[in-house]
Amino acid sequence: MEFGAVLQTNPPASRTIQLAKLAEAHGFTHVWTFDSHLLWQEPYVIYSQILSQTQRIKVGPFVTNPATRDWTVTASVFATLNEMFGNRTVCGIGRGDSAVRVTNGKPTTIAELRESVHVIRELANSRPVEYHGSTIQFPWSRGSELEVWVAAYGPMALKLAGEVGDGFILQLADLDIAAWMIKHVRDAAEAAGRDPMSVKFCVAAPFYIGDDWEHMRDQCRWFGGMVGNHVADIVAKYGMHGTVPDALTDYIRGREGYDYNEHGRAGNVHTQFVPDEIVDRFCLLGTSDDHIAKLKQLAELGVDQFAGYLQHDNKEETLRVYGETVIPAMTEHISAKA
């Protein structure tokens, strides 16, 4: 199992770079960042500095979208970083959340997401692609490699992830929901003629090492509110019960509003509707043993990477314990199972 750290690009940028370097030192393989250019600093500029000050770690957005960035520009950024630093980028992409909603926009369609994945991946892998009626290619790009991982919750987006994604990003760590979604992605991959085991699975959630459960929950409750935005869209389309597990939809009954200026922040006052049970189910909290126990269960479901959100007040300690205890334990566990 690989491990990623998910950061917000809050100023100063030097702090983001420092945490990325610390994550690499503790054995993390990926550093992901939010991508909302109005709410936080521009991530692609910061990626260049992270890559220049690290040796192995991969960087990418968690997640970008097809609406706020021209697809060819996005591909060019990745291809340029790969030329500079040796294929150490990965692209997480979804239909759009905070980056589009903060400007009163709407998520893109599934068809637009599908086409953007194709265009970005082909160009960023130094290949030609049909775009707006023309065949285009970066004449300067040679040997660039980029995987595109699709973030999804709803049935149609899960189907898309299985059909075209190099990986699937699930932003919650509930075991029952993860099992349901992984099955949907694998079934879609198989139906499309792909090897269902070729799609990589990344589960992402806040992770907090500690023993004060009330405090940990309050620091991570924001996550249930963030997930609730996507769930609200699903409920609007499919209803409260039916195609999506009740465990994912029931908790948003008390949701009344959401302020994107507090998006992804501990203490977000618009997430008080999220019950403790959901925080516990969606996140990884507690001692290192608690984390290892849940990570083993996620590994059994086929999860290839756990990406932990670091939007709380215990960043360095959580990274340290993962580097010294959790990651070695999981490496040993997976090696023993091989």
Side-chain angles (χ1 to χ4, degrees), residues 269-299:
V269 299
H270 294 86
T271 60
Q272 295 308 306
F273 70 93
V274 181
D276 288 349
E277 178 190 3
I278 288 295
V279 179
D280 295 350
R281 291 181 65 165
F282 283 15
C283 304
L284 270 70
L285 311 175
T287 66
S288 59
D289 287 341
D290 294 325
H291 288 242
I292 291 166
K294 191 164 186 177
L295 287 167
K296 286 180 178 179
Q297 292 176 291
L298 289 169

Side-chain angles (χ1 to χ4, degrees), residues 66 71 109-119 121 156 159-160 163-164:
W71 307 347
T109 65
I110 294 294
E112 289 170 324
L113 178 58
R114 180 188 299 274
E115 185 180 0
S116 73
V117 169
H118 176 67
V119 170
R121 180 163 51 207
M156 295 304 296
K159 182 174 181 288
L160 173 67
E163 290 172 345
V164 305

Side-chain angles (χ1 to χ4, degrees), residues 221-274:
R221 200 175 305 277
W222 63 267
F223 184 66
M226 185 182 82
V227 173
N229 298 323
H230 301 284
V231 175
D233 287 343
I234 294 170
V235 168
K237 183 172 184 177
Y238 297 101
M240 284 296 294
H241 305 287
T243 47
V244 178
D246 289 349
L248 184 59
T249 59
D250 284 350
Y251 84 97
I252 68 163
R253 293 179 189 275
R255 180 179 183 270
E256 295 181 351
Y258 193 82
D259 182 357
Y260 274 90
N261 290 309
E262 293 188 325
H263 188 63
R265 298 186 187 278
N268 185 333
V269 299
H270 294 86
T271 60
Q272 295 308 306
F273 70 93
V274 181

